[in-house]
Amino acid sequence: ITTVWIVGSSIVYWAWTRARARRMPNLRYSPQKVQIFWDGVRGMKWDSLMFNLQRDLAMFEFPEPDVLMIHLGSNDVASWNTNELIIRMKNDLKKVTEMFPTTQLVFSEILARRVWRGLTLECGEAKRQQINREVGQYVREIGGVVLPHENILHQNVTLYIKDGVHMNDYGNDILLEDIMCCLPCVLEIPNEDKVTIDEDSNEETMETEDKVILTSADLDLCYTLPFTEVNKENMEDNAMQGREDSEDFEIEFKKSE
């Protein structure tokens, strides 16, 4: 079985939450072929990366990954000097390749956002682009893969919740599609068209997946929610997301499928 870790900040946490709501936490892969382990820590900063990876192995007993996808750094953009942050990220990514010498590294680019706390939008966007460009180039040089997010743009207000930082269901669907387009190329294993959860075994089997349906009535600045039954049940969770994530704080989340 091929093992994939997806590690990072609240972006990973909410992506997993959305994948679970759509009944596809294993991202359309048969669990007999691929197992995806999610580690999203809300408020996580780059300094915590190495500790979290070591903890996943020791405390949570994740199997060593064949693919390690890292989505991290957005919470450091405002507080670090850009060049110093880039150097730190490169050094740690080099350590990651030494820690997991046979693992395929995937660097998921820092997402655009509408609000950078402590920075103007223009300054935050410029720093983000520089980090993605220089760290991405380094990742490719050491044999890694870069996952861009070209369809997540700060100009598109329909992707974000009210804080302008975190994404709503629609934005998270786009992020999940990016991940699902990347993994088959990295794994050389095609994902399946349809998955669901088998109620008896509590494992994913090949059935039907909850579809995303967008309605124009829900297009406002706070939420653009795909209105399926699953989403209706999770609207309260999305409202909680907007309130709880208004400030950076660490609430740890662990989930393995």
Side-chain angles (χ1 to χ4, degrees), residues 229-247:
E229 289 302 317
V230 170
N231 288 328
K232 288 178 182 177
E233 295 171 1
N234 284 276
M235 284 182 68
E236 183 177 351
D237 291 341
N238 278 280
M240 288 290 292
Q241 174 186 349
R243 293 194 297 271
E244 291 178 352
D245 284 346
S246 60
E247 296 181 3

Side-chain angles (χ1 to χ4, degrees), residues 74-235:
S74 58
N75 292 328
D76 301 275
V77 170
S79 57
W80 278 71
N81 172 277
T82 304
N83 291 328
E84 292 178 356
L85 178 58
I86 289 171
I87 292 172
R88 176 60 184 271
M89 292 174 74
K90 289 180 179 180
N91 288 340
D92 283 346
L93 290 172
K94 180 62 175 177
K95 293 177 183 177
V96 169
T97 62
E98 295 169 351
M99 182 178 180
F100 301 113
T102 63
T103 296
Q104 176 65 68
L105 173 66
V106 178
F107 171 66
S108 176
E109 290 188 342
I110 297 174
L111 298 181
R113 55 171 66 178
R114 295 185 57 76
V115 174
W116 294 94
R117 294 161 186 159
L119 299 173
T120 65
L121 175 60
E122 292 75 14
C123 181
E125 182 66 12
K127 289 165 71 73
R128 180 189 75 87
Q129 291 184 16
Q130 180 183 351
I131 293 167
N132 284 342
R133 182 175 59 253
E134 296 190 23
V135 174
Q137 179 180 347
Y138 176 74
V139 167
R140 293 186 185 96
E141 289 174 356
I142 62 175
V145 173
V146 176
L147 172 56
H149 304 286
E150 298 174 351
N151 293 316
I152 298 177
L153 306 173
H154 68 82
Q155 296 94 334
N156 188 350
V157 299
T158 68
L159 301 179
Y160 302 90
I161 64 172
K162 191 174 182 179
D163 67 3
V165 174
H166 300 91
M167 294 188 298
N168 57 32
D169 282 358
Y170 182 33
N172 279 311
D173 284 334
I174 295 175
L175 176 59
L176 289 172
E177 287 299 322
D178 287 346
I179 295 172
M180 288 188 289
C181 287
C182 174
L183 286 180
C185 300
V186 175
L187 297 174
E188 297 183 352
I189 303 174
N191 54 20
E192 308 290 348
D193 291 334
K194 299 177 181 180
V195 299
T196 190
I197 302 297
D198 182 73
E199 294 182 357
D200 295 328
S201 66
N202 203 32
E203 294 181 354
E204 287 179 321
T205 56
M206 308 312 300
E207 291 290 345
T208 58
E209 166 202 331
D210 179 49
K211 297 299 181 182
V212 180
I213 303 173
L214 300 178
T215 64
S216 59
D218 306 300
L219 197 64
D220 62 40
L221 295 180
C222 296
Y223 294 96
T224 304
L225 297 177
F227 264 54
T228 63
E229 289 302 317
V230 170
N231 288 328
K232 288 178 182 177
E233 295 171 1
N234 284 276
M235 284 182 68

Side-chain angles (χ1 to χ4, degrees), residues 4-17 25 36-44 48-57 59-62 68-72 250-257:
V4 178
W5 292 12
I6 303 178
V7 176
S9 62
S10 58
I11 301 298
V12 173
Y13 176 92
W14 292 113
W16 173 81
T17 301
I36 297 180
F37 294 81
W38 298 81
D39 180 11
V41 180
R42 292 155 66 182
M44 181 176 171
S48 301
L49 174 64
M50 298 306 299
F51 170 80
N52 278 32
L53 294 178
Q54 292 167 351
R55 179 203 59 185
D56 288 341
L57 279 175
M59 184 181 299
F60 295 102
E61 299 182 346
F62 282 16
L68 171 59
M69 180 178 294
I70 298 174
H71 188 103
L72 192 60
E250 288 204 9
I251 297 180
E252 210 169 275
F253 165 78
K254 292 302 307 174
K255 176 68 178 180
S256 63
E257 292 293 337

